[in-house]
Amino acid sequence: MSEDVLVNYSVDGHVATIQLNRPKAMNALNHALRMAIREAQAKAEADENVRVIVLTGSGNSFTSGTDLKELGDFMTKKGMFDISVRDYKPILDGISKSVKIYVAAINGVAGGVGLSIALTCDLAIMAQSATCFAPFTNIGLVPDGGLSWLLLQHMGSKRAFAAIAEAEHIDAATSLDLGIVNKLSPDETVLADAQAWAATLADRAPLSLGYSKQIMRAAHTQSHDQIALMESEYQMKCANSEDSGNAIAAFLTKQKPVFKGR
């Protein structure tokens, strides 16, 4: 596809793919690319046929993070805050607050706020040669996009702080061991493998997946009792859905259920 297009967007069945397309700049996130990502997210969100969204990069990078070449326009105390709140938070909220499932296909380096985006996704598959890193102490900044919290959730405080303080690249095998990603894939098939994985997820009950996503995200900050109550509330919604009724009937007759998301 043309390199003039900042985001390649496509839909196959119930799976949408959002591919960042600034390969010569390691998919560094300038303002135009940030806006293009938000536009693609809105398109996927508005499409009732889309159930799972694959987020990936082109070339040899997922995304290296914020394009440092444009920071000269924002190097004020409020300017950096504006980028984080104005540009990145809507992208991250678009992932975390969506009822649709996001799968990160980490095809190459995921750095800085790009790592925040990858870790915010619900699931992740990583190319065997890919790495992730938090480069902020190299450039006199602190993590953004909620990366400190995300690393803490995945790695625990000691390892999370070491990743931030040392700014070293974390390889794919270590990322898998730490729980940063779910699985690894050969470099040349990581996107295809992510899309195939997404297609299998899209065949499952959309309401069940969406509600489970909301419960899991709430579980990070709520008590056991609160989550048990939340599960009960969503269980009632699922039990009263057309999909659940049809799936139970299909199970009893040994048929494959077809889910409609209602």
Side-chain angles (χ1 to χ4, degrees):
M1 295 186 181
S2 171
E3 291 187 8
D4 294 332
V5 178
L6 291 174
V7 167
N8 296 324
Y9 179 83
S10 60
V11 176
D12 184 8
H14 295 300
V15 177
T17 299
I18 297 173
Q19 183 183 47
L20 283 56
N21 191 42
R22 293 188 72 207
K24 293 180 180 178
M26 297 183 68
N27 297 316
L29 298 162
N30 61 8
H31 179 73
L33 180 53
R34 296 192 292 268
M35 294 303 101
I37 295 170
R38 289 175 60 182
E39 182 180 345
Q41 286 180 293
K43 188 181 298 185
E45 198 67 30
D47 188 343
E48 294 182 358
N49 187 57
V50 170
R51 299 177 181 177
V52 183
I53 300 160
V54 174
L55 184 59
T56 192
S58 57
N60 61 1
S61 176
F62 179 76
T63 167
S64 56
T66 299
D67 190 342
L68 297 180
K69 292 181 179 179
E70 77 168 13
L71 286 188
D73 296 332
F74 300 100
M75 290 306 286
T76 66
K77 292 179 181 179
K78 188 176 180 181
M80 287 300 293
F81 180 80
D82 282 349
I83 288 180
S84 182
V85 173
R86 182 196 65 212
D87 289 1
Y88 288 127
K89 190 173 187 301
I91 293 173
L92 298 167
D93 285 349
I95 297 171
S96 63
K97 295 182 179 180
S98 174
V99 298
K100 303 183 182 188
I101 307 305
Y102 271 78
V103 177
I106 305 173
N107 58 301
V109 63
V113 75
L115 180 55
S116 301
I117 293 171
L119 293 184
T120 300
C121 290
D122 304 295
L123 300 164
I125 183 170
M126 190 172 187
Q128 290 172 335
S129 71
T131 62
C132 57
F133 77 122
F136 301 96
T137 58
N138 291 336
I139 53 177
L141 297 174
V142 297
D144 52 9
L147 184 58
S148 301
W149 185 89
L150 290 162
L151 289 175
L152 175 64
Q153 296 296 319
H154 284 85
M155 302 167 64
S157 61
K158 292 290 192 297
R159 288 183 296 193
F161 185 69
I164 294 168
E166 296 173 346
E168 293 183 352
H169 284 257
I170 303 171
D171 64 29
T174 304
S175 297
L176 181 64
D177 289 342
L178 291 172
I180 289 176
V181 299
N182 299 92
K183 58 179 75 175
L184 304 183
S185 175
D187 292 10
E188 60 272 15
T189 63
V190 63
L191 177 55
D193 291 343
Q195 291 168 327
W197 186 19
T200 65
L201 294 169
D203 280 340
R204 296 183 176 274
L207 293 178
S208 177
L209 285 174
Y211 291 150
S212 295
K213 171 177 177 171
Q214 292 176 56
I215 292 167
M216 284 297 297
R217 289 186 178 268
H220 286 292
T221 57
Q222 296 189 27
S223 69
H224 178 270
D225 286 346
Q226 288 172 314
I227 293 303
L229 178 59
M230 188 176 183
E231 287 175 339
S232 178
E233 292 172 348
Y234 281 127
Q235 191 74 294
M236 184 63 68
K237 293 181 179 181
C238 286
N240 290 326
S241 70
E242 179 183 328
D243 275 353
S244 180
N246 290 340
I248 292 172
F251 174 79
L252 294 175
T253 57
K254 298 183 179 181
Q255 302 293 314
K256 181 179 179 180
V258 177
F259 297 109
K260 301 178 180 178
R262 57 177 186 262

Short mmCIF file of all heavy atoms in Angstrom, two decimals, residues 133-138 143 148 151-152 155-170 178:
data_model
loop_
_atom_site.label_atom_id
_atom_site.label_comp_id
_atom_site.label_asym_id
_atom_site.label_seq_id
_atom_site.Cartn_x
_atom_site.Cartn_y
_atom_site.Cartn_z
N PHE A 133 10.71 -1.54 24.77
CA PHE A 133 11.53 -0.82 25.74
C PHE A 133 10.91 0.52 26.10
O PHE A 133 10.10 1.08 25.38
CB PHE A 133 12.96 -0.62 25.21
CG PHE A 133 13.14 0.47 24.18
CD1 PHE A 133 14.02 1.51 24.40
CD2 PHE A 133 12.45 0.43 22.97
CE1 PHE A 133 14.21 2.50 23.44
CE2 PHE A 133 12.64 1.42 22.00
CZ PHE A 133 13.52 2.46 22.25
N ALA A 134 11.31 0.98 27.29
CA ALA A 134 10.86 2.27 27.81
C ALA A 134 12.08 3.20 27.83
O ALA A 134 12.88 3.14 28.76
CB ALA A 134 10.29 2.10 29.22
N PRO A 135 12.25 4.05 26.83
CA PRO A 135 13.50 4.79 26.64
C PRO A 135 13.60 6.11 27.41
O PRO A 135 14.52 6.89 27.17
CB PRO A 135 13.48 5.07 25.14
CG PRO A 135 12.02 5.28 24.84
CD PRO A 135 11.29 4.30 25.73
N PHE A 136 12.70 6.35 28.32
CA PHE A 136 12.51 7.71 28.85
C PHE A 136 13.71 8.25 29.61
O PHE A 136 14.02 9.45 29.53
CB PHE A 136 11.26 7.74 29.73
CG PHE A 136 10.02 7.32 28.97
CD1 PHE A 136 9.56 6.02 29.03
CD2 PHE A 136 9.36 8.23 28.17
CE1 PHE A 136 8.44 5.63 28.32
CE2 PHE A 136 8.23 7.85 27.44
CZ PHE A 136 7.78 6.54 27.52
N THR A 137 14.41 7.41 30.38
CA THR A 137 15.57 7.94 31.11
C THR A 137 16.72 8.28 30.17
O THR A 137 17.65 9.00 30.55
CB THR A 137 16.06 6.94 32.17
OG1 THR A 137 16.41 5.69 31.56
CG2 THR A 137 14.99 6.70 33.23
N ASN A 138 16.65 7.79 28.94
CA ASN A 138 17.67 8.15 27.94
C ASN A 138 17.48 9.58 27.44
O ASN A 138 18.42 10.19 26.91
CB ASN A 138 17.62 7.20 26.75
CG ASN A 138 18.09 5.80 27.08
OD1 ASN A 138 18.84 5.60 28.03
ND2 ASN A 138 17.66 4.82 26.31
N PRO A 143 7.81 7.93 31.87
CA PRO A 143 6.84 7.20 31.05
C PRO A 143 5.53 7.95 30.90
O PRO A 143 5.14 8.73 31.78
CB PRO A 143 6.64 5.90 31.84
CG PRO A 143 7.90 5.73 32.63
CD PRO A 143 8.32 7.13 32.99
N SER A 148 3.78 3.27 33.35
CA SER A 148 4.23 2.85 34.68
C SER A 148 3.24 1.86 35.28
O SER A 148 3.63 0.81 35.82
CB SER A 148 4.38 4.07 35.59
OG SER A 148 5.31 4.98 35.06
N LEU A 151 3.25 -1.53 33.19
CA LEU A 151 4.40 -2.38 33.50
C LEU A 151 4.28 -2.98 34.89
O LEU A 151 4.63 -4.15 35.11
CB LEU A 151 5.70 -1.58 33.38
CG LEU A 151 6.11 -1.18 31.96
CD1 LEU A 151 7.35 -0.29 31.99
CD2 LEU A 151 6.39 -2.42 31.09
N LEU A 152 3.80 -2.20 35.84
CA LEU A 152 3.59 -2.72 37.20
C LEU A 152 2.64 -3.90 37.18
O LEU A 152 2.88 -4.93 37.83
CB LEU A 152 3.05 -1.61 38.10
CG LEU A 152 2.68 -2.03 39.53
CD1 LEU A 152 3.90 -2.50 40.29
CD2 LEU A 152 2.00 -0.88 40.26
N MET A 155 4.62 -6.86 35.39
CA MET A 155 5.95 -7.29 35.80
C MET A 155 6.22 -7.24 37.30
O MET A 155 7.21 -7.81 37.76
CB MET A 155 7.01 -6.43 35.07
CG MET A 155 6.92 -6.50 33.56
SD MET A 155 7.90 -5.22 32.71
CE MET A 155 9.56 -5.67 33.19
N GLY A 156 5.39 -6.53 38.07
CA GLY A 156 5.71 -6.29 39.46
C GLY A 156 6.62 -5.07 39.59
O GLY A 156 7.26 -4.64 38.62
N SER A 157 6.69 -4.51 40.78
CA SER A 157 7.33 -3.20 40.95
C SER A 157 8.83 -3.22 40.67
O SER A 157 9.35 -2.30 40.02
CB SER A 157 7.08 -2.67 42.37
OG SER A 157 7.62 -3.56 43.34
N LYS A 158 9.57 -4.22 41.14
CA LYS A 158 11.02 -4.22 40.97
C LYS A 158 11.40 -4.32 39.49
O LYS A 158 12.22 -3.55 38.98
CB LYS A 158 11.65 -5.38 41.74
CG LYS A 158 11.56 -5.25 43.25
CD LYS A 158 12.45 -4.13 43.77
CE LYS A 158 12.61 -4.18 45.29
NZ LYS A 158 11.32 -3.99 46.00
N ARG A 159 10.81 -5.25 38.78
CA ARG A 159 11.15 -5.43 37.37
C ARG A 159 10.62 -4.28 36.53
O ARG A 159 11.26 -3.86 35.55
CB ARG A 159 10.63 -6.77 36.86
CG ARG A 159 11.41 -7.95 37.42
CD ARG A 159 10.95 -9.28 36.87
NE ARG A 159 9.58 -9.60 37.26
CZ ARG A 159 9.03 -10.79 37.11
NH1 ARG A 159 9.72 -11.78 36.57
NH2 ARG A 159 7.78 -11.02 37.49
N ALA A 160 9.46 -3.76 36.90
CA ALA A 160 8.91 -2.62 36.16
C ALA A 160 9.81 -1.40 36.30
O ALA A 160 10.10 -0.71 35.30
CB ALA A 160 7.50 -2.30 36.64
N PHE A 161 10.26 -1.13 37.51
CA PHE A 161 11.13 0.03 37.70
C PHE A 161 12.46 -0.17 37.00
O PHE A 161 13.02 0.77 36.42
CB PHE A 161 11.35 0.34 39.17
CG PHE A 161 12.15 1.59 39.38
CD1 PHE A 161 11.60 2.83 39.08
CD2 PHE A 161 13.47 1.54 39.81
CE1 PHE A 161 12.35 4.00 39.24
CE2 PHE A 161 14.22 2.69 39.97
CZ PHE A 161 13.66 3.93 39.68
N ALA A 162 12.98 -1.39 37.01
CA ALA A 162 14.24 -1.65 36.31
C ALA A 162 14.08 -1.42 34.81
O ALA A 162 14.97 -0.86 34.16
CB ALA A 162 14.70 -3.08 36.57
N ALA A 163 12.93 -1.83 34.25
CA ALA A 163 12.70 -1.61 32.82
C ALA A 163 12.69 -0.13 32.49
O ALA A 163 13.18 0.29 31.44
CB ALA A 163 11.38 -2.26 32.42
N ILE A 164 12.13 0.67 33.40
CA ILE A 164 12.08 2.12 33.19
C ILE A 164 13.45 2.75 33.44
O ILE A 164 13.94 3.56 32.64
CB ILE A 164 11.02 2.75 34.11
CG1 ILE A 164 9.63 2.27 33.71
CG2 ILE A 164 11.10 4.28 34.07
CD1 ILE A 164 8.54 2.59 34.72
N ALA A 165 14.09 2.39 34.54
CA ALA A 165 15.36 3.02 34.93
C ALA A 165 16.49 2.68 33.98
O ALA A 165 17.31 3.54 33.64
CB ALA A 165 15.72 2.61 36.36
N GLU A 166 16.55 1.42 33.54
CA GLU A 166 17.66 0.98 32.71
C GLU A 166 17.42 1.19 31.23
O GLU A 166 18.37 1.23 30.44
CB GLU A 166 17.93 -0.51 32.97
CG GLU A 166 18.38 -0.78 34.39
CD GLU A 166 18.48 -2.26 34.71
OE1 GLU A 166 17.95 -3.08 33.92
OE2 GLU A 166 19.07 -2.60 35.75
N ALA A 167 16.15 1.33 30.82
CA ALA A 167 15.79 1.60 29.42
C ALA A 167 16.40 0.59 28.46
O ALA A 167 16.81 0.94 27.35
CB ALA A 167 16.18 3.03 29.04
N GLU A 168 16.45 -0.66 28.88
CA GLU A 168 17.01 -1.70 28.01
C GLU A 168 15.91 -2.38 27.20
O GLU A 168 14.76 -2.48 27.64
CB GLU A 168 17.75 -2.75 28.85
CG GLU A 168 19.01 -2.21 29.52
CD GLU A 168 19.75 -3.29 30.28
OE1 GLU A 168 19.21 -4.41 30.40
OE2 GLU A 168 20.87 -3.01 30.75
N HIS A 169 16.28 -2.88 26.04
CA HIS A 169 15.33 -3.60 25.21
C HIS A 169 15.01 -4.96 25.84
O HIS A 169 15.91 -5.67 26.29
CB HIS A 169 15.90 -3.80 23.80
CG HIS A 169 15.85 -2.57 22.96
ND1 HIS A 169 14.90 -2.37 21.97
CD2 HIS A 169 16.62 -1.46 22.96
CE1 HIS A 169 15.09 -1.19 21.40
NE2 HIS A 169 16.13 -0.62 21.99
N ILE A 170 13.74 -5.30 25.87
CA ILE A 170 13.28 -6.59 26.38
C ILE A 170 12.94 -7.45 25.17
O ILE A 170 12.09 -7.08 24.35
CB ILE A 170 12.05 -6.41 27.28
CG1 ILE A 170 12.36 -5.46 28.43
CG2 ILE A 170 11.55 -7.76 27.80
CD1 ILE A 170 11.14 -5.06 29.25
N LEU A 178 7.44 -12.84 30.99
CA LEU A 178 6.93 -11.82 31.92
C LEU A 178 5.42 -11.64 31.81
O LEU A 178 4.82 -10.97 32.64
CB LEU A 178 7.61 -10.48 31.66
CG LEU A 178 9.10 -10.39 32.01
CD1 LEU A 178 9.68 -9.06 31.52
CD2 LEU A 178 9.30 -10.53 33.52
#
